[in-house]
Amino acid sequence: MYNVERKIEIIKSLEKDGRVSAAELAKRFGTSKETIRRDLCELEEKGVLKRTHGGAMLSNKLSDMDSLVREYPESVRGIRNSEEKKALCKKAASFIQDGDIIFIDNSTTCLYLVQNIPAEYHVTILTNSLRLLTEAVNYDCTNKTFYCLGGSMNPSNLSTYDSAISSKDKMDFYPDKCIVSCMGISSERMFTDGSYYEIATKQKFMEQSSQVYLLADHTKIGTDGQFALDSGEHIDFLITDEKNAKKKVKLPSNIKVITA
């Protein structure tokens, strides 16, 4: 099992039980206690857990929050359900056309979009995600133009958020496509998010774009975030890996569900 996969499983165990034992994890993964201790140390540095004698427990900051509304550090959210996120991005990229202007939000779900856009396509990408911009340098972006929205930086998720500067930026563009994610989708609250700061940016581009694609893996279907994002009015397509999304959540009739 790879390092990233172990960490994902460790996080799942913490979410379920609140604490883990290094000895039990070593036995479960067929590795040494020293390897597990290194994993726990790295996760502690990211603020996910607090190491204890013989293991670790969920950090006080996260354990005091409901499991459905925990805002993990960006570096941790990036590895959770990474394979599902890659599939969603690949499907979303298949709808992008040469010449499009696209807004991509700061979610870790959308991080894999740029690498799936054909290199020969001339597209303009607007984003408030510093992580997406730094990841983009790893790919052939000769034909792509990037605009980073201004504003204050949120270091916890490597994004910029609303201010007089970014508000002016948003008024200058009417994208062909807006591609975003969220924290949860439920019949009661519809589309919700976990970070208040970036919501205004998402909402403005959802209103101003010709088409809106929302990407959400199965863990977000039937759950809620703390802040209202959209009632579904501005969303045209929901791209998900949850085959029974419509059965689990009563979605507005205007939203077409696409399974990746």
Side-chain angles (χ1 to χ4, degrees), residues 193-225:
D193 219 348
S195 176
Y196 175 76
Y197 297 108
E198 292 86 8
I199 281 182
T201 298
K202 289 188 182 185
Q203 290 175 333
K204 190 63 179 178
F205 280 113
M206 289 168 75
E207 292 173 4
Q208 294 184 178
S209 299
S210 298
Q211 291 182 327
V212 177
Y213 296 78
L214 190 137
L215 281 54
D217 65 62
H218 63 279
T219 64
K220 298 179 180 181
I221 307 298
T223 65
D224 288 316

PDB file of all heavy atoms in Angstrom, residues 193-225:
ATOM      1  N   ASP A 193     -21.555  24.539   1.201  1.00  0.00           N
ATOM      2  CA  ASP A 193     -20.100  24.558   1.187  1.00  0.00           C
ATOM      3  C   ASP A 193     -19.545  24.681   2.595  1.00  0.00           C
ATOM      4  O   ASP A 193     -20.299  24.922   3.544  1.00  0.00           O
ATOM      5  CB  ASP A 193     -19.598  25.718   0.317  1.00  0.00           C
ATOM      6  CG  ASP A 193     -18.375  25.342  -0.501  1.00  0.00           C
ATOM      7  OD1 ASP A 193     -17.782  24.273  -0.233  1.00  0.00           O
ATOM      8  OD2 ASP A 193     -17.993  26.107  -1.399  1.00  0.00           O
ATOM      9  N   GLY A 194     -18.221  24.538   2.716  1.00  0.00           N
ATOM     10  CA  GLY A 194     -17.601  24.531   4.033  1.00  0.00           C
ATOM     11  C   GLY A 194     -16.764  25.748   4.344  1.00  0.00           C
ATOM     12  O   GLY A 194     -16.265  25.887   5.457  1.00  0.00           O
ATOM     13  N   SER A 195     -16.574  26.636   3.371  1.00  0.00           N
ATOM     14  CA  SER A 195     -15.767  27.835   3.597  1.00  0.00           C
ATOM     15  C   SER A 195     -16.559  29.064   3.173  1.00  0.00           C
ATOM     16  O   SER A 195     -16.877  29.234   1.994  1.00  0.00           O
ATOM     17  CB  SER A 195     -14.448  27.753   2.827  1.00  0.00           C
ATOM     18  OG  SER A 195     -13.704  28.946   2.977  1.00  0.00           O
ATOM     19  N   TYR A 196     -16.838  29.920   4.107  1.00  0.00           N
ATOM     20  CA  TYR A 196     -17.670  31.098   3.848  1.00  0.00           C
ATOM     21  C   TYR A 196     -16.982  32.093   2.909  1.00  0.00           C
ATOM     22  O   TYR A 196     -17.628  32.734   2.083  1.00  0.00           O
ATOM     23  CB  TYR A 196     -17.993  31.789   5.169  1.00  0.00           C
ATOM     24  CG  TYR A 196     -18.745  33.083   5.022  1.00  0.00           C
ATOM     25  CD1 TYR A 196     -20.108  33.086   4.723  1.00  0.00           C
ATOM     26  CD2 TYR A 196     -18.094  34.302   5.167  1.00  0.00           C
ATOM     27  CE1 TYR A 196     -20.797  34.277   4.570  1.00  0.00           C
ATOM     28  CE2 TYR A 196     -18.776  35.497   5.021  1.00  0.00           C
ATOM     29  CZ  TYR A 196     -20.121  35.484   4.725  1.00  0.00           C
ATOM     30  OH  TYR A 196     -20.797  36.662   4.569  1.00  0.00           O
ATOM     31  N   TYR A 197     -15.655  32.205   3.027  1.00  0.00           N
ATOM     32  CA  TYR A 197     -14.931  33.251   2.325  1.00  0.00           C
ATOM     33  C   TYR A 197     -15.062  33.176   0.807  1.00  0.00           C
ATOM     34  O   TYR A 197     -15.185  34.188   0.125  1.00  0.00           O
ATOM     35  CB  TYR A 197     -13.446  33.210   2.708  1.00  0.00           C
ATOM     36  CG  TYR A 197     -13.202  33.483   4.161  1.00  0.00           C
ATOM     37  CD1 TYR A 197     -12.813  32.466   5.027  1.00  0.00           C
ATOM     38  CD2 TYR A 197     -13.362  34.767   4.687  1.00  0.00           C
ATOM     39  CE1 TYR A 197     -12.594  32.711   6.366  1.00  0.00           C
ATOM     40  CE2 TYR A 197     -13.155  35.028   6.030  1.00  0.00           C
ATOM     41  CZ  TYR A 197     -12.764  33.992   6.873  1.00  0.00           C
ATOM     42  OH  TYR A 197     -12.557  34.232   8.200  1.00  0.00           O
ATOM     43  N   GLU A 198     -15.011  31.965   0.236  1.00  0.00           N
ATOM     44  CA  GLU A 198     -14.985  31.847  -1.218  1.00  0.00           C
ATOM     45  C   GLU A 198     -16.367  31.739  -1.863  1.00  0.00           C
ATOM     46  O   GLU A 198     -16.484  31.710  -3.087  1.00  0.00           O
ATOM     47  CB  GLU A 198     -14.157  30.621  -1.627  1.00  0.00           C
ATOM     48  CG  GLU A 198     -12.674  30.739  -1.339  1.00  0.00           C
ATOM     49  CD  GLU A 198     -12.319  30.307   0.069  1.00  0.00           C
ATOM     50  OE1 GLU A 198     -13.211  29.776   0.753  1.00  0.00           O
ATOM     51  OE2 GLU A 198     -11.172  30.511   0.487  1.00  0.00           O
ATOM     52  N   ILE A 199     -17.411  31.660  -1.061  1.00  0.00           N
ATOM     53  CA  ILE A 199     -18.755  31.450  -1.608  1.00  0.00           C
ATOM     54  C   ILE A 199     -19.173  32.569  -2.561  1.00  0.00           C
ATOM     55  O   ILE A 199     -19.743  32.306  -3.625  1.00  0.00           O
ATOM     56  CB  ILE A 199     -19.786  31.286  -0.475  1.00  0.00           C
ATOM     57  CG1 ILE A 199     -19.702  29.868   0.088  1.00  0.00           C
ATOM     58  CG2 ILE A 199     -21.196  31.557  -0.970  1.00  0.00           C
ATOM     59  CD1 ILE A 199     -20.695  29.577   1.184  1.00  0.00           C
ATOM     60  N   ALA A 200     -18.900  33.813  -2.209  1.00  0.00           N
ATOM     61  CA  ALA A 200     -19.330  34.931  -3.047  1.00  0.00           C
ATOM     62  C   ALA A 200     -18.720  34.854  -4.438  1.00  0.00           C
ATOM     63  O   ALA A 200     -19.372  35.161  -5.441  1.00  0.00           O
ATOM     64  CB  ALA A 200     -18.956  36.257  -2.384  1.00  0.00           C
ATOM     65  N   THR A 201     -17.461  34.424  -4.512  1.00  0.00           N
ATOM     66  CA  THR A 201     -16.784  34.285  -5.806  1.00  0.00           C
ATOM     67  C   THR A 201     -17.459  33.198  -6.641  1.00  0.00           C
ATOM     68  O   THR A 201     -17.748  33.384  -7.831  1.00  0.00           O
ATOM     69  CB  THR A 201     -15.300  33.937  -5.614  1.00  0.00           C
ATOM     70  OG1 THR A 201     -14.651  35.008  -4.915  1.00  0.00           O
ATOM     71  CG2 THR A 201     -14.609  33.727  -6.955  1.00  0.00           C
ATOM     72  N   LYS A 202     -17.722  32.046  -6.020  1.00  0.00           N
ATOM     73  CA  LYS A 202     -18.393  30.952  -6.731  1.00  0.00           C
ATOM     74  C   LYS A 202     -19.766  31.400  -7.233  1.00  0.00           C
ATOM     75  O   LYS A 202     -20.129  31.179  -8.397  1.00  0.00           O
ATOM     76  CB  LYS A 202     -18.565  29.747  -5.815  1.00  0.00           C
ATOM     77  CG  LYS A 202     -17.299  28.992  -5.483  1.00  0.00           C
ATOM     78  CD  LYS A 202     -17.659  27.721  -4.728  1.00  0.00           C
ATOM     79  CE  LYS A 202     -16.440  26.937  -4.313  1.00  0.00           C
ATOM     80  NZ  LYS A 202     -16.794  25.649  -3.680  1.00  0.00           N
ATOM     81  N   GLN A 203     -20.546  32.013  -6.356  1.00  0.00           N
ATOM     82  CA  GLN A 203     -21.906  32.390  -6.704  1.00  0.00           C
ATOM     83  C   GLN A 203     -21.943  33.388  -7.861  1.00  0.00           C
ATOM     84  O   GLN A 203     -22.793  33.285  -8.746  1.00  0.00           O
ATOM     85  CB  GLN A 203     -22.619  32.964  -5.486  1.00  0.00           C
ATOM     86  CG  GLN A 203     -22.910  31.924  -4.416  1.00  0.00           C
ATOM     87  CD  GLN A 203     -23.501  32.521  -3.159  1.00  0.00           C
ATOM     88  OE1 GLN A 203     -23.260  33.689  -2.833  1.00  0.00           O
ATOM     89  NE2 GLN A 203     -24.266  31.728  -2.421  1.00  0.00           N
ATOM     90  N   LYS A 204     -21.013  34.341  -7.852  1.00  0.00           N
ATOM     91  CA  LYS A 204     -21.005  35.348  -8.910  1.00  0.00           C
ATOM     92  C   LYS A 204     -20.739  34.710 -10.262  1.00  0.00           C
ATOM     93  O   LYS A 204     -21.417  35.027 -11.260  1.00  0.00           O
ATOM     94  CB  LYS A 204     -19.938  36.405  -8.610  1.00  0.00           C
ATOM     95  CG  LYS A 204     -20.029  37.627  -9.531  1.00  0.00           C
ATOM     96  CD  LYS A 204     -21.358  38.347  -9.335  1.00  0.00           C
ATOM     97  CE  LYS A 204     -21.455  39.584 -10.219  1.00  0.00           C
ATOM     98  NZ  LYS A 204     -22.758  40.271 -10.063  1.00  0.00           N
ATOM     99  N   PHE A 205     -19.761  33.799 -10.332  1.00  0.00           N
ATOM    100  CA  PHE A 205     -19.458  33.164 -11.607  1.00  0.00           C
ATOM    101  C   PHE A 205     -20.519  32.150 -12.005  1.00  0.00           C
ATOM    102  O   PHE A 205     -20.743  31.914 -13.205  1.00  0.00           O
ATOM    103  CB  PHE A 205     -18.076  32.513 -11.565  1.00  0.00           C
ATOM    104  CG  PHE A 205     -16.959  33.498 -11.767  1.00  0.00           C
ATOM    105  CD1 PHE A 205     -16.073  33.792 -10.752  1.00  0.00           C
ATOM    106  CD2 PHE A 205     -16.825  34.157 -12.974  1.00  0.00           C
ATOM    107  CE1 PHE A 205     -15.050  34.714 -10.946  1.00  0.00           C
ATOM    108  CE2 PHE A 205     -15.803  35.085 -13.183  1.00  0.00           C
ATOM    109  CZ  PHE A 205     -14.915  35.364 -12.159  1.00  0.00           C
ATOM    110  N   MET A 206     -21.188  31.541 -11.043  1.00  0.00           N
ATOM    111  CA  MET A 206     -22.298  30.649 -11.370  1.00  0.00           C
ATOM    112  C   MET A 206     -23.429  31.436 -12.024  1.00  0.00           C
ATOM    113  O   MET A 206     -24.111  30.955 -12.932  1.00  0.00           O
ATOM    114  CB  MET A 206     -22.794  29.934 -10.107  1.00  0.00           C
ATOM    115  CG  MET A 206     -21.811  28.881  -9.589  1.00  0.00           C
ATOM    116  SD  MET A 206     -22.185  28.266  -7.935  1.00  0.00           S
ATOM    117  CE  MET A 206     -23.586  27.204  -8.275  1.00  0.00           C
ATOM    118  N   GLU A 207     -23.618  32.671 -11.603  1.00  0.00           N
ATOM    119  CA  GLU A 207     -24.659  33.530 -12.176  1.00  0.00           C
ATOM    120  C   GLU A 207     -24.267  34.047 -13.561  1.00  0.00           C
ATOM    121  O   GLU A 207     -25.114  34.182 -14.445  1.00  0.00           O
ATOM    122  CB  GLU A 207     -24.905  34.729 -11.249  1.00  0.00           C
ATOM    123  CG  GLU A 207     -25.537  34.361  -9.916  1.00  0.00           C
ATOM    124  CD  GLU A 207     -25.603  35.547  -8.975  1.00  0.00           C
ATOM    125  OE1 GLU A 207     -25.214  36.665  -9.398  1.00  0.00           O
ATOM    126  OE2 GLU A 207     -26.017  35.382  -7.815  1.00  0.00           O
ATOM    127  N   GLN A 208     -22.980  34.319 -13.760  1.00  0.00           N
ATOM    128  CA  GLN A 208     -22.530  34.981 -14.985  1.00  0.00           C
ATOM    129  C   GLN A 208     -22.100  34.019 -16.094  1.00  0.00           C
ATOM    130  O   GLN A 208     -21.850  34.445 -17.216  1.00  0.00           O
ATOM    131  CB  GLN A 208     -21.360  35.933 -14.674  1.00  0.00           C
ATOM    132  CG  GLN A 208     -21.767  37.095 -13.793  1.00  0.00           C
ATOM    133  CD  GLN A 208     -20.649  38.091 -13.545  1.00  0.00           C
ATOM    134  OE1 GLN A 208     -20.849  39.101 -12.879  1.00  0.00           O
ATOM    135  NE2 GLN A 208     -19.460  37.830 -14.056  1.00  0.00           N
ATOM    136  N   SER A 209     -22.021  32.729 -15.804  1.00  0.00           N
ATOM    137  CA  SER A 209     -21.548  31.759 -16.796  1.00  0.00           C
ATOM    138  C   SER A 209     -22.690  31.181 -17.631  1.00  0.00           C
ATOM    139  O   SER A 209     -23.824  31.072 -17.154  1.00  0.00           O
ATOM    140  CB  SER A 209     -20.798  30.621 -16.104  1.00  0.00           C
ATOM    141  OG  SER A 209     -19.664  31.119 -15.411  1.00  0.00           O
ATOM    142  N   SER A 210     -22.375  30.798 -18.863  1.00  0.00           N
ATOM    143  CA  SER A 210     -23.386  30.210 -19.746  1.00  0.00           C
ATOM    144  C   SER A 210     -23.809  28.832 -19.269  1.00  0.00           C
ATOM    145  O   SER A 210     -24.980  28.455 -19.365  1.00  0.00           O
ATOM    146  CB  SER A 210     -22.838  30.117 -21.176  1.00  0.00           C
ATOM    147  OG  SER A 210     -22.545  31.405 -21.676  1.00  0.00           O
ATOM    148  N   GLN A 211     -22.847  28.040 -18.773  1.00  0.00           N
ATOM    149  CA  GLN A 211     -23.139  26.706 -18.257  1.00  0.00           C
ATOM    150  C   GLN A 211     -22.378  26.494 -16.946  1.00  0.00           C
ATOM    151  O   GLN A 211     -21.226  26.900 -16.818  1.00  0.00           O
ATOM    152  CB  GLN A 211     -22.711  25.622 -19.251  1.00  0.00           C
ATOM    153  CG  GLN A 211     -23.532  25.579 -20.520  1.00  0.00           C
ATOM    154  CD  GLN A 211     -23.091  24.451 -21.436  1.00  0.00           C
ATOM    155  OE1 GLN A 211     -21.925  24.089 -21.491  1.00  0.00           O
ATOM    156  NE2 GLN A 211     -24.046  23.848 -22.142  1.00  0.00           N
ATOM    157  N   VAL A 212     -23.041  25.832 -16.004  1.00  0.00           N
ATOM    158  CA  VAL A 212     -22.419  25.554 -14.708  1.00  0.00           C
ATOM    159  C   VAL A 212     -22.369  24.050 -14.468  1.00  0.00           C
ATOM    160  O   VAL A 212     -23.393  23.361 -14.537  1.00  0.00           O
ATOM    161  CB  VAL A 212     -23.187  26.230 -13.549  1.00  0.00           C
ATOM    162  CG1 VAL A 212     -22.570  25.855 -12.203  1.00  0.00           C
ATOM    163  CG2 VAL A 212     -23.174  27.746 -13.728  1.00  0.00           C
ATOM    164  N   TYR A 213     -21.167  23.552 -14.219  1.00  0.00           N
ATOM    165  CA  TYR A 213     -20.944  22.137 -13.916  1.00  0.00           C
ATOM    166  C   TYR A 213     -20.498  22.039 -12.460  1.00  0.00           C
ATOM    167  O   TYR A 213     -19.513  22.671 -12.062  1.00  0.00           O
ATOM    168  CB  TYR A 213     -19.848  21.553 -14.802  1.00  0.00           C
ATOM    169  CG  TYR A 213     -20.178  21.524 -16.272  1.00  0.00           C
ATOM    170  CD1 TYR A 213     -20.093  22.681 -17.050  1.00  0.00           C
ATOM    171  CD2 TYR A 213     -20.556  20.335 -16.896  1.00  0.00           C
ATOM    172  CE1 TYR A 213     -20.391  22.660 -18.408  1.00  0.00           C
ATOM    173  CE2 TYR A 213     -20.850  20.302 -18.260  1.00  0.00           C
ATOM    174  CZ  TYR A 213     -20.770  21.469 -18.997  1.00  0.00           C
ATOM    175  OH  TYR A 213     -21.056  21.443 -20.345  1.00  0.00           O
ATOM    176  N   LEU A 214     -21.208  21.246 -11.680  1.00  0.00           N
ATOM    177  CA  LEU A 214     -20.805  21.026 -10.296  1.00  0.00           C
ATOM    178  C   LEU A 214     -20.318  19.590 -10.143  1.00  0.00           C
ATOM    179  O   LEU A 214     -21.012  18.652 -10.514  1.00  0.00           O
ATOM    180  CB  LEU A 214     -21.943  21.301  -9.325  1.00  0.00           C
ATOM    181  CG  LEU A 214     -21.487  21.315  -7.854  1.00  0.00           C
ATOM    182  CD1 LEU A 214     -22.113  22.476  -7.096  1.00  0.00           C
ATOM    183  CD2 LEU A 214     -21.799  19.992  -7.152  1.00  0.00           C
ATOM    184  N   LEU A 215     -19.107  19.421  -9.615  1.00  0.00           N
ATOM    185  CA  LEU A 215     -18.491  18.111  -9.450  1.00  0.00           C
ATOM    186  C   LEU A 215     -18.590  17.684  -7.985  1.00  0.00           C
ATOM    187  O   LEU A 215     -18.220  18.450  -7.089  1.00  0.00           O
ATOM    188  CB  LEU A 215     -17.015  18.152  -9.857  1.00  0.00           C
ATOM    189  CG  LEU A 215     -16.671  18.105 -11.351  1.00  0.00           C
ATOM    190  CD1 LEU A 215     -17.394  19.180 -12.149  1.00  0.00           C
ATOM    191  CD2 LEU A 215     -15.165  18.212 -11.558  1.00  0.00           C
ATOM    192  N   ALA A 216     -19.096  16.476  -7.748  1.00  0.00           N
ATOM    193  CA  ALA A 216     -19.233  15.996  -6.372  1.00  0.00           C
ATOM    194  C   ALA A 216     -19.126  14.478  -6.328  1.00  0.00           C
ATOM    195  O   ALA A 216     -19.917  13.791  -6.974  1.00  0.00           O
ATOM    196  CB  ALA A 216     -20.576  16.436  -5.778  1.00  0.00           C
ATOM    197  N   ASP A 217     -18.157  13.956  -5.584  1.00  0.00           N
ATOM    198  CA  ASP A 217     -18.053  12.503  -5.463  1.00  0.00           C
ATOM    199  C   ASP A 217     -19.115  11.972  -4.497  1.00  0.00           C
ATOM    200  O   ASP A 217     -19.851  12.741  -3.872  1.00  0.00           O
ATOM    201  CB  ASP A 217     -16.635  12.084  -5.016  1.00  0.00           C
ATOM    202  CG  ASP A 217     -16.296  12.556  -3.619  1.00  0.00           C
ATOM    203  OD1 ASP A 217     -16.978  12.133  -2.664  1.00  0.00           O
ATOM    204  OD2 ASP A 217     -15.337  13.340  -3.461  1.00  0.00           O
ATOM    205  N   HIS A 218     -19.207  10.665  -4.380  1.00  0.00           N
ATOM    206  CA  HIS A 218     -20.288  10.020  -3.630  1.00  0.00           C
ATOM    207  C   HIS A 218     -20.352  10.422  -2.159  1.00  0.00           C
ATOM    208  O   HIS A 218     -21.414  10.378  -1.545  1.00  0.00           O
ATOM    209  CB  HIS A 218     -20.147   8.503  -3.731  1.00  0.00           C
ATOM    210  CG  HIS A 218     -18.878   7.982  -3.129  1.00  0.00           C
ATOM    211  ND1 HIS A 218     -17.668   8.009  -3.809  1.00  0.00           N
ATOM    212  CD2 HIS A 218     -18.614   7.425  -1.915  1.00  0.00           C
ATOM    213  CE1 HIS A 218     -16.731   7.501  -3.030  1.00  0.00           C
ATOM    214  NE2 HIS A 218     -17.272   7.139  -1.891  1.00  0.00           N
ATOM    215  N   THR A 219     -19.217  10.828  -1.568  1.00  0.00           N
ATOM    216  CA  THR A 219     -19.211  11.182  -0.143  1.00  0.00           C
ATOM    217  C   THR A 219     -19.980  12.468   0.138  1.00  0.00           C
ATOM    218  O   THR A 219     -20.339  12.735   1.290  1.00  0.00           O
ATOM    219  CB  THR A 219     -17.772  11.333   0.378  1.00  0.00           C
ATOM    220  OG1 THR A 219     -17.123  12.428  -0.297  1.00  0.00           O
ATOM    221  CG2 THR A 219     -16.973  10.057   0.159  1.00  0.00           C
ATOM    222  N   LYS A 220     -20.254  13.251  -0.905  1.00  0.00           N
ATOM    223  CA  LYS A 220     -20.930  14.537  -0.719  1.00  0.00           C
ATOM    224  C   LYS A 220     -22.435  14.442  -0.948  1.00  0.00           C
ATOM    225  O   LYS A 220     -23.165  15.381  -0.614  1.00  0.00           O
ATOM    226  CB  LYS A 220     -20.311  15.578  -1.657  1.00  0.00           C
ATOM    227  CG  LYS A 220     -18.836  15.815  -1.365  1.00  0.00           C
ATOM    228  CD  LYS A 220     -18.211  16.822  -2.307  1.00  0.00           C
ATOM    229  CE  LYS A 220     -16.743  17.028  -1.962  1.00  0.00           C
ATOM    230  NZ  LYS A 220     -16.092  18.031  -2.837  1.00  0.00           N
ATOM    231  N   ILE A 221     -22.879  13.328  -1.511  1.00  0.00           N
ATOM    232  CA  ILE A 221     -24.309  13.153  -1.779  1.00  0.00           C
ATOM    233  C   ILE A 221     -25.023  12.758  -0.488  1.00  0.00           C
ATOM    234  O   ILE A 221     -24.693  11.775   0.151  1.00  0.00           O
ATOM    235  CB  ILE A 221     -24.550  12.078  -2.850  1.00  0.00           C
ATOM    236  CG1 ILE A 221     -23.733  12.374  -4.114  1.00  0.00           C
ATOM    237  CG2 ILE A 221     -26.034  11.973  -3.170  1.00  0.00           C
ATOM    238  CD1 ILE A 221     -24.070  13.674  -4.793  1.00  0.00           C
ATOM    239  N   GLY A 222     -26.001  13.554  -0.095  1.00  0.00           N
ATOM    240  CA  GLY A 222     -26.750  13.269   1.124  1.00  0.00           C
ATOM    241  C   GLY A 222     -26.137  13.859   2.376  1.00  0.00           C
ATOM    242  O   GLY A 222     -26.551  13.520   3.481  1.00  0.00           O
ATOM    243  N   THR A 223     -25.144  14.749   2.227  1.00  0.00           N
ATOM    244  CA  THR A 223     -24.535  15.400   3.384  1.00  0.00           C
ATOM    245  C   THR A 223     -24.705  16.913   3.270  1.00  0.00           C
ATOM    246  O   THR A 223     -25.111  17.435   2.236  1.00  0.00           O
ATOM    247  CB  THR A 223     -23.038  15.056   3.500  1.00  0.00           C
ATOM    248  OG1 THR A 223     -22.338  15.598   2.374  1.00  0.00           O
ATOM    249  CG2 THR A 223     -22.829  13.559   3.528  1.00  0.00           C
ATOM    250  N   ASP A 224     -24.363  17.618   4.340  1.00  0.00           N
ATOM    251  CA  ASP A 224     -24.527  19.071   4.377  1.00  0.00           C
ATOM    252  C   ASP A 224     -23.258  19.771   4.817  1.00  0.00           C
ATOM    253  O   ASP A 224     -22.510  19.264   5.658  1.00  0.00           O
ATOM    254  CB  ASP A 224     -25.640  19.467   5.363  1.00  0.00           C
ATOM    255  CG  ASP A 224     -27.018  19.125   4.850  1.00  0.00           C
ATOM    256  OD1 ASP A 224     -27.290  19.378   3.662  1.00  0.00           O
ATOM    257  OD2 ASP A 224     -27.826  18.590   5.639  1.00  0.00           O
ATOM    258  N   GLY A 225     -23.035  20.950   4.252  1.00  0.00           N
ATOM    259  CA  GLY A 225     -22.004  21.861   4.728  1.00  0.00           C
ATOM    260  C   GLY A 225     -22.644  22.919   5.594  1.00  0.00           C
ATOM    261  O   GLY A 225     -23.864  22.916   5.793  1.00  0.00           O
TER     262      GLY A 225
END
